[in-house]
Amino acid sequence: MADTDVQVEALHAALANVADRLAAEKTYLTELDSAIGDADHGANMNRGFQTVLEKTEGMDGEPAEIVKAVGMAIVSEVGGAAGPLYGGSILTASQELDEGITAETSVAFAEAYLEKLQDRGGAQIGQKTMVDAVTPAVHTYKKSIEEDDLPPLEALAKTVDAAERGVNFTVPIRATKGRASYLGWRSVGHRDPGATSTLIILEELLETATEYLDGEEALDRDATSPTVPDDGDDAEEA
Amino acid sequence: MKKLINEPADVVDEMLDGMVAAYPDQVRRLDDIEVLVREDAPIDGKVGIVSGGGSGHEPTHAGYLGEGMLDGAAAGEVFTSPTADQLQEMIQACDGGAGVLCVVKNYEGDVMNFDTAAELAAMEDVEVEQVVVNDDVAVEDSLYTSGRRGVCGTILVHKAAGAKAHQGGDLGEVKAVAEKVIDSVGTMGMALTSCVTPEKGEPTFDLGDEEMELGIGIHGEPGTERTDVMSADEITEHLTEGVLADLDLDEGQEIVTIVNGMGGTPLSELFIVNRKLQEIVDDHGLETWDAWVGDYMTSLDMMGCSITVCAVDDELKELLAHPCDTPALTVRD
């Protein structure tokens, strides 16, 4: 139970960090979207995560239940394409956390998230969409955990790097999927907004995980929890 | 721009309440969301048929609620997809135990939100199937879609699938009928003016007094070609030839035609178009089994029209002739 308590606490902290950061980047994301989309991504994501905070506030059940509530809040509030892509993928992937958050289930979550994202949006890598950030992130996370046997925090740091390379990869290419594809070659030179918001979320998850997995303070705060599980709260990633 | 509205943000909400007040025996509203359902939904043992999308296309979709057509219609904001949780509530409210068919127009937001809704409903043990209508022959990909847009041909899907469900068809049979219509139908539209959305309050695109757009969708998105204004006959030729080239029908094929108004064009002009349309299909050796003329799927106050042609066989003829009773379409025995 203590493990779960810490995970839930970390989850709430992560959501708060993500929401704060999206609020701060609202204008930037909308500027990116106005160049190649319909100029609502920043406002949508900000509104969505404010709703996430409202809906999850005080929830102290299983982590999977909280993650499911996150997906549902996004689905209800964001709409458009980003709502089903982010919210629907989180909803589906949340089932992978039914047994709790471990290194194993967090990889399963990440893979289920990517699979649903591609299935729903029909996008493949190289089409200038959020898939370009999520795909390398998920593959890197899986490899780091399963093959390289890295501690979750290091795995997550590598995941953020991979996502960042993915975002940079969207700049020079031409969009062939999504709203930006209508612009054809005029989409070249712009950073994809969905890939960018994905990176922002991952960065905040890393920030939170660092606080909870690396800091001795986090341990001291919870006397009933002698050790924070080393396969802990990284599973919200992707 | 002058509009008969109060606050732009209240347009959909007030429109739905007004519709319920106009047809209290036929439709009711689900609590707190922008969804209308048949007054008697869910119907025990009948496959539910639901549709939906952005508002601004009235009488699509709620106008087709009733016996022999739709069980549920979700109204997103103007030209904006409804959210998945609203669609899920609609699906569950229309499930009489035989499952629900979602008829979706091919717009990315609509498709993704319906997909998510179907998954949510499936988690609640509702059997859900989906068809995506993509009848617009003008574009392969557009501002809003991968692949062709779904436009006025959707009404024929509602009609045929609705009839099949009313006759007691199971979910697979109802879906098969819907897919048969989708495989048989093509549409192309044009605009003389842009529409004006309540939020924006000004035309979505600028057209000179002497210009028109061919190949438009139903959201005020630009067409495929801008030309000088042509005569009604020339416009009809252009649209009809575009649709017929895509469908590639054999001589003697029976068809249903629709001349659909985009919201701002009087019926008199739609009849003028229909007169020419029938001449052209006759010249192609096609047999018009039924010709519909009216505002079936509009784009707010846009002036213009679309032409739809659907090949029909005995099964589709029987289903399209099957009685239905809805605010916007009634077929009697």
Side-chain angles (χ1 to χ4, degrees):
Chain A
M1 278 310 291
D3 292 357
T4 302
D5 287 347
V6 177
Q7 288 185 352
V8 167
E9 189 187 327
L11 205 44
H12 283 300
L15 293 173
N17 284 343
V18 169
D20 282 354
R21 179 79 187 284
L22 286 171
E25 307 278 9
K26 182 175 74 170
T27 309
Y28 172 61
L29 286 173
T30 292
E31 278 169 11
L32 293 181
D33 197 24
S34 63
I36 59 172
D38 55 358
D40 62 1
H41 192 59
N44 272 344
M45 293 301 286
N46 179 47
R47 202 181 62 244
F49 269 85
Q50 293 305 321
T51 306
V52 164
L53 290 188
E54 282 167 29
K55 300 279 184 190
T56 57
E57 193 183 2
M59 277 184 82
D60 56 1
E62 294 297 313
E65 287 302 307
I66 298 176
V67 176
K68 189 178 172 194
V70 170
M72 198 62 209
I74 294 172
V75 157
S76 321
E77 192 58 36
V78 177
L85 288 172
Y86 266 114
S89 304
I90 292 171
L91 264 177
T92 302
S94 71
Q95 294 169 26
E96 304 293 336
L97 304 178
D98 283 346
E99 305 295 314
I101 301 178
T102 64
E104 196 180 20
T105 62
S106 64
V107 170
F109 176 94
E111 289 189 296
Y113 181 95
L114 174 61
E115 187 184 343
K116 177 52 68 179
L117 186 67
Q118 289 186 310
D119 184 40
R120 171 111 327 138
Q124 295 299 320
I125 202 159
Q127 294 184 311
K128 202 177 183 99
T129 71
M130 58 175 78
V131 168
D132 289 323
V134 176
T135 306
V138 170
H139 290 166
T140 300
Y141 186 67
K142 181 180 164 72
K143 179 172 180 296
S144 301
I145 296 282
E146 292 185 353
E147 289 178 33
D148 303 342
D149 214 15
L150 293 179
L153 199 56
E154 280 181 47
L156 196 49
K158 282 187 174 298
T159 301
V160 169
D161 288 343
E164 188 169 9
R165 287 195 299 277
V167 169
N168 292 333
F169 168 67
T170 68
V171 177
I173 62 176
R174 180 169 73 103
T176 52
K177 188 81 197 170
R179 191 69 67 91
S181 64
Y182 191 71
L183 291 172
W185 289 107
R186 281 178 288 163
S187 66
V188 168
H190 297 284
R191 196 175 294 271
D192 181 68
T196 307
S197 59
T198 297
L199 173 63
I200 286 172
I201 291 169
L202 285 171
E203 284 175 349
E204 290 310 310
L205 294 182
L206 174 61
E207 181 78 25
T208 314
T210 306
E211 188 185 324
Y212 275 81
L213 293 174
D214 209 27
E216 292 299 313
E217 282 179 29
L219 297 179
D220 293 339
R221 268 191 307 199
D222 189 349
T224 63
S225 171
T227 54
V228 176
D230 65 358
D231 52 5
D233 41 49
D234 41 64
E236 322 86 308
E237 72 104 48
Chain B
M1 199 60 75
K2 290 185 278 193
K3 286 262 177 202
L4 193 54
I5 63 172
N6 297 304
E7 294 299 321
D10 297 334
V11 162
V12 174
D13 183 54
E14 294 180 357
M15 167 189 81
L16 293 178
D17 285 346
M19 262 200 90
V20 172
Y23 307 102
D25 297 340
Q26 287 173 289
V27 303
R28 67 183 165 85
R29 185 166 174 181
L30 296 186
D31 287 342
D32 300 325
I33 60 173
E34 284 68 49
V35 171
L36 300 189
V37 298
R38 273 175 71 159
E39 203 278 326
D40 50 356
I43 292 136
D44 209 24
K46 186 186 90 72
V47 171
I49 301 190
V50 301
S51 194
S55 293
H57 308 304
E58 293 68 29
T60 298
H61 293 87
Y64 303 107
L65 287 171
E67 190 168 293
M69 283 187 88
L70 297 179
D71 295 85
E77 289 304 309
V78 172
F79 295 171
T80 303
S81 162
T83 56
D85 59 323
Q86 303 209 344
L87 294 171
Q88 177 206 4
E89 283 197 46
M90 169 174 72
I91 290 167
Q92 291 190 243
C94 295
D95 178 37
V100 175
L101 178 72
C102 301
V103 180
V104 187
K105 297 192 301 309
N106 190 29
Y107 292 95
E108 279 173 355
D110 287 2
V111 173
M112 287 188 205
N113 281 294
F114 264 105
D115 276 346
T116 303
E119 268 163 23
L120 292 170
M123 286 182 193
E124 306 292 331
D125 294 326
V126 179
E127 202 185 346
V128 188
E129 289 284 354
Q130 176 175 297
V131 292
V132 178
V133 188
N134 59 349
D135 55 318
D136 189 344
V137 305
V139 290
E140 271 309 314
D141 295 296
S142 79
L143 188 55
Y144 296 92
T145 58
S146 295
R148 291 154 42 145
R149 299 174 289 215
V151 286
C152 188
T154 310
I155 309 307
L156 297 173
V157 180
H158 294 337
K159 178 71 190 76
K164 190 71 185 177
H166 186 239
Q167 292 171 351
D170 66 26
L171 186 54
E173 291 167 337
V174 172
K175 185 185 182 190
V177 161
E179 286 177 333
K180 189 186 229 181
V181 177
I182 292 168
D183 289 341
S184 311
V185 67
T187 298
M188 188 163 165
M190 59 79 56
L192 294 166
T193 63
S194 167
C195 55
V196 176
T197 59
E199 283 285 353
K200 201 166 176 218
E202 54 191 63
T204 309
F205 57 91
D206 291 316
L207 266 184
D209 284 347
E210 303 301 321
E211 291 178 320
M212 57 177 235
E213 287 264 344
L214 286 162
I216 48 120
I218 51 172
H219 298 101
E221 62 264 51
T224 50
E225 197 183 338
R226 179 167 296 193
T227 70
D228 292 341
V229 172
M230 303 179 218
S231 69
D233 280 2
E234 288 168 326
I235 290 168
T236 308
E237 272 171 17
H238 197 101
L239 298 181
T240 311
E241 295 298 343
V243 174
L244 292 182
D246 185 83
L247 290 178
D248 194 21
L249 303 173
D250 293 331
E251 230 181 286
Q253 172 68 52
E254 287 187 287
I255 57 171
V256 172
T257 61
I258 306 177
V259 175
N260 172 56
M262 303 306 294
T265 290
L267 266 175
S268 56
E269 295 174 23
L270 300 181
F271 285 127
I272 290 171
V273 170
N274 189 51
R275 167 195 136 277
K276 182 65 182 175
L277 168 63
Q278 299 311 324
E279 262 181 45
I280 297 169
V281 296
D282 196 45
D283 288 346
H284 279 263
L286 301 168
E287 302 281 344
T288 299
W289 171 75
D290 199 5
W292 299 17
V293 179
D295 281 356
Y296 295 101
M297 182 177 289
T298 60
S299 183
L300 292 171
D301 53 347
M302 182 186 280
M303 287 169 65
C305 71
S306 63
I307 284 176
T308 298
V309 175
C310 182
V312 290
D313 59 7
D314 288 345
E315 182 189 30
L316 288 186
K317 284 195 292 186
E318 195 249 330
L319 294 170
L320 293 174
H322 185 78
C324 72
D325 183 14
T326 74
L329 187 71
T330 307
V331 175
R332 293 192 183 82
D333 253 333

